[in-house]
């Protein structure tokens, strides 16, 4: 737990963020500034910085939760985005789940 970390505060239930899904090591909630019709954040309960520090179990669980969301909501295509190090704004590991995105993109 990092007192200054917004995602740690969400994990602790200190905000009014609606938790959409919870698993052993993760929570899922909507991104506050959506960049796609469906934009969820899959967030570790533990304060881990990013993919360079993550354990295999948590990383595998991210895969399971992401594919589980797509299956449960019948989302035919989705993107997963992870920003690490200086590329991230919140230094608490999360993966962006972006659904209903167009296939006509450069990246
Ligand atoms: P990044 O670390 O670059 O992957 O970006 C952090 C993401 O977290 C951004 O897309 C923000 O909109 C999102 N975010 C920051 N604070 C909150 C919050 N309190 N609730 C939901 N999403 C948030
Ligand atoms: Zn944190």
């Amino acid at each position: 737990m990092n007192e200054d970390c917004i995602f740690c505060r969400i994990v602790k239930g200190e905000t009014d963020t609606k938790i959409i899904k919870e698993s052993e090591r993760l929570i899922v909630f909507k991104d506050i500034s959506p960049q796609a019709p469906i934009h969820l954040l899959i967030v570790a309960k533990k304060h881990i910085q990013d993919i360079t520090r993550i354990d295999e179990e948590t990383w595998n669980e991210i895969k399971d939760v992401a594919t589980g969301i797509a299956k449960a909501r019948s989302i035919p295509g989705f993107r997963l985005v992870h920003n690490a190090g200086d590329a991230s704004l919140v230094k608490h590991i999360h993966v962006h789940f972006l659904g209903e995105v167009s296939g006509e993109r450069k990246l």
Side-chain angles (χ1 to χ4, degrees), residues 19 22 48 53 55 58 76 88 106:
I19 305 303
E22 181 170 359
I48 301 167
R53 312 268 172 93
D55 57 280
T58 306
S88 64
K106 286 193 176 156

Side-chain angles (χ1 to χ4, degrees), residues 1-9 11 43-49 90-93:
M1 169 73 190
N2 178 337
E3 302 291 339
D4 301 326
C5 171
I6 180 62
F7 288 178
C8 280
R9 293 191 55 224
V11 168
V43 178
K45 289 180 182 173
K46 219 168 129 184
H47 184 85
I48 301 167
Q49 185 180 306
V90 179
K91 313 291 184 200
H92 177 135
I93 192 161

Side-chain angles (χ1 to χ4, degrees), residues 45-71:
K45 289 180 182 173
K46 219 168 129 184
H47 184 85
I48 301 167
Q49 185 180 306
D50 61 30
I51 193 172
T52 65
R53 312 268 172 93
I54 203 166
D55 57 280
E56 202 173 315
E57 291 78 15
T58 306
W59 189 242
N60 281 339
E61 207 168 295
I62 290 173
K63 180 199 74 173
D64 292 343
V65 165
T67 54
I69 291 167
K71 196 172 174 197

Side-chain angles (χ1 to χ4, degrees), residues 10-95:
I10 293 173
V11 168
K12 275 191 84 184
E14 291 178 358
T15 70
D16 56 8
T17 307
K18 186 171 177 278
I19 305 303
I20 289 173
K21 189 177 167 72
E22 181 170 359
S23 67
E24 192 182 341
R25 299 174 180 84
L26 307 170
I27 56 169
V28 180
F29 51 88
K30 284 185 182 170
D31 195 293
I32 206 168
S33 171
Q35 303 299 313
I38 299 170
H39 186 170
L40 307 176
L41 296 175
I42 303 171
V43 178
K45 289 180 182 173
K46 219 168 129 184
H47 184 85
I48 301 167
Q49 185 180 306
D50 61 30
I51 193 172
T52 65
R53 312 268 172 93
I54 203 166
D55 57 280
E56 202 173 315
E57 291 78 15
T58 306
W59 189 242
N60 281 339
E61 207 168 295
I62 290 173
K63 180 199 74 173
D64 292 343
V65 165
T67 54
I69 291 167
K71 196 172 174 197
R73 298 191 185 193
S74 302
I75 299 170
F78 59 92
R79 303 180 68 204
L80 297 178
V81 175
H82 173 59
N83 299 313
D86 288 351
S88 64
L89 293 172
V90 179
K91 313 291 184 200
H92 177 135
I93 192 161
H94 56 282
V95 169

